[in-house]
Amino acid sequence: MAIKKRGTLRAKARKRAGFESSATTKAIASKERLLDKLVKEKVSRAEKVPSLDANQSGISKSSIRRRKRKLREQLSAKLSDLETALIDTTKVQERVEEEHEDEAVSRKKLDHRPNPHSARGAMALAKKEGERFKAVLKETEFRENPFASLKEAILRNNSL
């Protein structure tokens, strides 16, 4: 019999979907706030130039909005370039760290024991346990003193 699983795949999928959607919306919102802040700073610096003054004649609000939008697009392009540069540097650092770890630490051996959570693994474990129990029953020591020999067999199997 397999060991009962604690959660269902649907519950895990729902949890993952809810977490990812809230995280992405937060990331997008924070990026937009950062871009707006940068545009305001750039516009406030540029207000000293008479061409961005809204009160002057000949300049409409829509043209000022258009200029702000263009500045925001330029900043977002620069921000995305910065993000890719940061990602590239972190990838390089990770590769270097992995190379050092590979040199320093030998590879771990894989665990080939049967998985008790799957039906196939549970069947394999039951088969092994049955073989061990049959071997214990066939021993002459078991016939003479059953409890002591079972205790020894259990201790021997736990040490393996």
Side-chain angles (χ1 to χ4, degrees):
M1 186 179 289
I3 296 174
K4 187 176 181 181
K5 295 182 181 180
R6 291 185 180 202
T8 63
L9 295 176
R10 288 182 183 149
K12 289 179 184 177
R14 268 190 248 118
K15 191 183 293 183
R16 254 189 243 125
F19 175 72
E20 289 176 358
S21 64
S22 64
T24 53
T25 54
K26 288 179 183 177
I28 291 170
S30 64
K31 187 175 180 180
E32 287 296 323
R33 278 188 258 127
L34 177 65
L35 289 174
D36 288 340
K37 184 178 178 184
L38 292 172
V39 167
K40 285 179 185 177
E41 289 175 4
K42 197 155 192 164
V43 169
S44 65
R45 281 187 241 137
E47 281 179 3
K48 295 175 184 174
V49 179
S51 63
L52 282 179
D53 191 9
N55 295 330
Q56 262 190 346
S57 61
I59 297 176
S60 65
K61 288 182 180 180
S62 61
S63 64
I64 292 173
R65 288 184 189 136
R66 197 177 310 115
R67 289 178 185 173
K68 285 183 179 181
R69 195 179 320 119
K70 286 181 182 178
L71 286 173
R72 193 178 301 125
E73 289 171 359
Q74 290 172 354
L75 287 173
S76 66
K78 290 178 183 177
L79 191 63
S80 65
D81 291 340
L82 180 64
E83 288 175 1
T84 55
L86 286 173
I87 290 170
D88 291 340
T89 56
T90 55
K91 285 181 181 178
V92 169
Q93 287 176 348
E94 289 173 359
R95 286 184 197 151
V96 169
E97 289 173 0
E98 287 175 2
E99 290 173 2
H100 288 295
E101 288 177 2
D102 289 341
E103 293 172 2
V105 179
S106 64
R107 289 188 170 194
K108 294 180 181 178
K109 293 184 179 181
L110 294 175
D111 187 17
H112 294 289
R113 291 181 294 173
N115 184 3
H117 294 285
S118 67
R120 183 177 175 189
M123 285 175 31
L125 286 175
K127 186 177 179 182
K128 282 184 182 179
E129 289 297 321
E131 290 171 359
R132 286 182 187 165
F133 191 69
K134 286 177 186 176
V136 169
L137 290 177
K138 289 180 182 177
E139 291 179 2
T140 56
E141 295 174 10
F142 177 73
R143 292 181 183 155
E144 294 171 1
N145 194 356
F147 294 111
S149 63
L150 279 176
K151 184 179 178 182
E152 288 175 21
I154 291 170
L155 291 173
R156 195 176 336 119
N157 287 338
N158 284 340
S159 65
L160 295 176

